Amino acid sequence: MSLIQRLSVLGMAAMAMGLVASHDYGAALTKSILFYEGQRSGKLPPTQRITWRKDSALRDGFEIGVDLVGGYYDAGDNVKFTFPMAFSITMLAWSLLEFGQSLGTDLQHSLKAIQWGTDYLLKATSVPGFVFAQVSDPYGDHNCWERPEDMDTPRTPYAVSKEFPGSEVSAEIAAALAASSVVFRPINRGYSARLLKRARMVNDKYRGSYNDSLGPWACPFYCDYSGYQDELVWGAAWLLRATKAPYYRNYVLANIQNLDKSSSFAEFGWDTKHAGINLIKSQTPEPFITNADKFVCSVLPESPTVSVSYSPGGLLIKPGGSNLQHATALSFLLLVYSRPLSKASRVIHCGNVVATPARLIQVARSQVDYILGSNPLNMSYMVGYGKKFPERIHHRGSSLPSITQHPQHIDCTGGATYFYTNNPNPNLLTGAVVGGPDIKDSYADSRADFAHSEPTTYINAPL
């Protein structure tokens, strides 16, 4: 059962908050998974359901003799950033491991979404001593408004290595492959073993931050602001879950102390893994349980130690762009943690506030319901869900006419007309969840306002 499906079963407490309880979580779930087909790079399969998307970037890596075709575009541009891509795959895999029992027909689509990513991660780690962290010059790409099918900007591959290390990228790939190996173990043992073998190979290789080696190209888009120690522990934690090997258990216990002792236990996303590590390990001894409890107290709006903000309409807010990545990721963690708490009949004490497992579910549901339309604008922030949703998302493929409708090439500057028009995007990127409204619950529905109107793979993955 996914986050969305589990909410429909367990979240009746949301009624007490006056929230609309009529959302079709099944439809939202189906659409949120379908979104990944719209983000695919490479040769599309005959089963492709978002049919306005066509083959793209079929020669990625060929200039250096490496097959780097495939994977996902991270957001509304045409760059393949391996760091957030791998995190998205880790989260999709974790979602299935926690809630995958009742996905029905969406299970197969979820598995395909994961494998589209893991197949690419295997390619990105196929050359001994190198891990490909990015494909495309992001500045050249961002200066153009082109369909992925038309790209004529440089598709330069960028790799980390012993000479130019990138621990955060390598360790996040290890986490994604290890988590996915557990997902595929009952289904395809050979593929699962291949993923796990590669995860072991790339984890904790050539220590150093890719900011130092690939910073001119990775930054400011996906700089690692939290350091790479959290990724090293995160990767080891997933390898421990996949292997049960004492080496990884000892590694996690020995290196958890290297993580920032400040409020980072409340952080979780593509850059910072602290809260996720503590929840994965929350059924083992300290400090994980204490930090997992602190995480909950940092999120609950009534907690005296809350460290996030809430809009007047009830949306969880953190600084920076693409805010809904925080609402979905932190809600996912609340729901995951509610399960062992329920099993142990345990509550969390946040000062004089008592947080029950039902309260965690209630807060998570409030965020999902807000995203789906229970908000002051009565607007869904998932494209294609509900009667009112974003129509001018910051997404090249969605905003430009499809190859079917406009088979002629549209060059770098030719897309500007489509970017600046006030017309709705011609192609529906079904299931895409945008960055979302501001702290005042306002949303402009403007392509130019990318911080709020751009969808990303890592907003959808925990949803």
Side-chain angles (χ1 to χ4, degrees):
M1 193 182 304
S2 75
L3 167 57
I4 295 176
Q5 280 190 309
R6 186 169 172 82
L7 285 172
S8 67
V9 177
L10 299 176
M12 295 307 294
M15 293 288 287
M17 297 179 68
L19 297 174
V20 175
S22 58
H23 291 298
D24 187 341
Y25 295 122
L29 171 68
T30 296
K31 293 175 190 296
S32 71
I33 297 167
L34 177 60
F35 158 72
Y36 286 91
E37 296 191 21
Q39 296 301 109
R40 285 171 169 171
S41 180
K43 180 71 176 176
L44 303 184
T47 55
Q48 174 79 11
R49 294 177 294 165
I50 294 187
T51 54
W52 54 263
R53 277 297 325 281
K54 305 298 179 185
D55 299 344
S56 63
L58 297 181
R59 295 189 57 80
D60 278 1
F62 280 35
E63 64 188 84
I64 59 169
V66 181
D67 179 3
L68 295 175
V69 175
Y72 290 109
Y73 304 117
D74 71 292
D77 54 27
N78 300 323
V79 185
K80 294 192 300 201
F81 292 100
T82 309
F83 190 21
M85 187 196 307
F87 174 72
S88 300
I89 300 307
T90 307
M91 290 307 299
L92 286 172
W94 192 5
S95 298
L96 261 66
L97 292 173
E98 293 288 343
F99 307 122
Q101 306 94 327
S102 304
L103 279 176
T105 56
D106 283 314
L107 176 60
Q108 291 304 314
H109 294 304
S110 299
L111 291 170
K112 289 176 182 177
I114 293 172
Q115 187 167 353
W116 194 270
T118 52
D119 282 352
Y120 178 78
L121 296 179
L122 289 172
K123 291 182 176 184
T125 55
S126 62
V127 179
F130 293 88
V131 172
F132 287 93
Q134 189 171 315
V135 176
S136 180
D137 168 19
Y139 294 97
D141 179 271
H142 288 176
N143 285 333
C144 294
W145 196 257
E146 283 185 299
R147 300 177 294 200
E149 295 84 358
D150 282 338
M151 282 186 292
D152 49 20
T153 53
R155 300 296 293 174
T156 309
Y158 300 89
V160 296
S161 62
K162 183 175 183 178
E163 185 178 0
F164 301 103
S167 295
E168 51 276 271
V169 181
S170 299
E172 187 60 61
I173 292 174
L177 295 178
S180 300
S181 77
V182 182
V183 169
F184 283 104
R185 190 171 293 160
I187 306 162
N188 186 334
R189 294 190 68 86
Y191 188 67
S192 170
R194 185 182 174 201
L195 297 177
L196 184 55
K197 181 179 180 181
R198 190 64 58 83
R200 287 176 181 264
M201 288 174 58
V202 301
N203 188 57
D204 198 13
K205 285 281 190 181
Y206 313 135
R207 288 199 186 183
S209 176
Y210 90 145
N211 289 358
D212 300 327
S213 52
L214 297 183
W217 302 280
C219 297
F221 313 104
Y222 291 103
C223 279
D224 180 18
Y225 296 102
S226 67
Y228 59 79
Q229 290 292 345
D230 56 325
E231 274 80 33
L232 292 176
V233 178
W234 174 247
W238 278 110
L239 279 161
L240 173 60
R241 181 159 180 174
T243 67
K244 307 294 190 294
Y247 170 81
Y248 296 113
R249 179 179 295 106
N250 295 337
Y251 185 98
V252 171
L253 292 173
N255 288 278
I256 192 70
Q257 306 303 330
N258 293 333
L259 301 186
D260 187 358
K261 303 295 194 301
S262 68
S263 61
S264 293
F265 56 77
E267 299 290 335
F268 186 62
W270 61 263
D271 181 26
T272 309
K273 309 304 187 307
H274 297 62
I277 294 166
N278 288 317
L279 261 74
I280 290 176
K281 300 295 294 172
S282 62
Q283 297 183 50
T284 59
E286 298 296 347
F288 304 105
I289 294 175
T290 297
N291 283 342
D293 287 358
K294 286 181 179 179
F295 158 73
V296 171
C297 295
S298 75
V299 174
L300 295 187
E302 68 271 25
S303 168
T305 55
V306 63
S307 65
V308 300
S309 301
Y310 284 86
S311 73
L315 178 64
L316 186 153
I317 302 284
K318 288 177 70 68
S322 300
N323 178 71
L324 288 187
Q325 66 178 301
H326 306 301
T328 60
L330 300 186
S331 295
F332 174 85
L333 294 185
L334 288 176
L335 202 63
V336 168
Y337 200 37
S338 72
R339 303 178 81 193
L341 290 176
S342 296
K343 188 174 182 180
S345 300
R346 189 167 77 83
V347 298
I348 297 171
H349 294 274
C350 306
N352 61 349
V353 172
V354 176
T356 64
R359 177 58 180 150
L360 273 61
I361 296 166
Q362 185 182 38
V363 173
R365 182 171 184 171
S366 74
Q367 298 306 297
V368 173
D369 284 351
Y370 186 108
I371 291 169
L372 295 180
S374 299
N375 55 60
L377 296 181
N378 294 315
M379 179 177 191
S380 162
Y381 291 101
M382 176 185 285
V383 174
Y385 179 89
K387 295 180 180 179
K388 180 183 178 183
F389 51 81
E391 295 184 321
R392 300 165 190 85
I393 66 173
H394 183 94
H395 190 277
R396 287 157 174 77
S398 172
S399 68
L400 290 156
S402 68
I403 295 288
T404 303
Q405 298 299 318
H406 190 290
Q408 297 81 14
H409 178 83
I410 302 175
D411 64 16
C412 177
T413 58
T417 302
Y418 301 98
F419 177 82
Y420 290 110
T421 181
N422 197 42
N423 294 335
N425 288 5
N427 305 311
L428 207 63
L429 186 59
T430 302
V433 179
V434 296
D438 63 21
I439 196 167
K440 296 180 180 179
D441 299 305
S442 297
Y443 183 75
D445 198 11
S446 165
R447 279 178 215 98
D449 186 13
F450 63 88
H452 299 100
S453 65
E454 188 171 19
T456 73
T457 57
Y458 46 86
I459 293 176
N460 274 59
L463 184 62

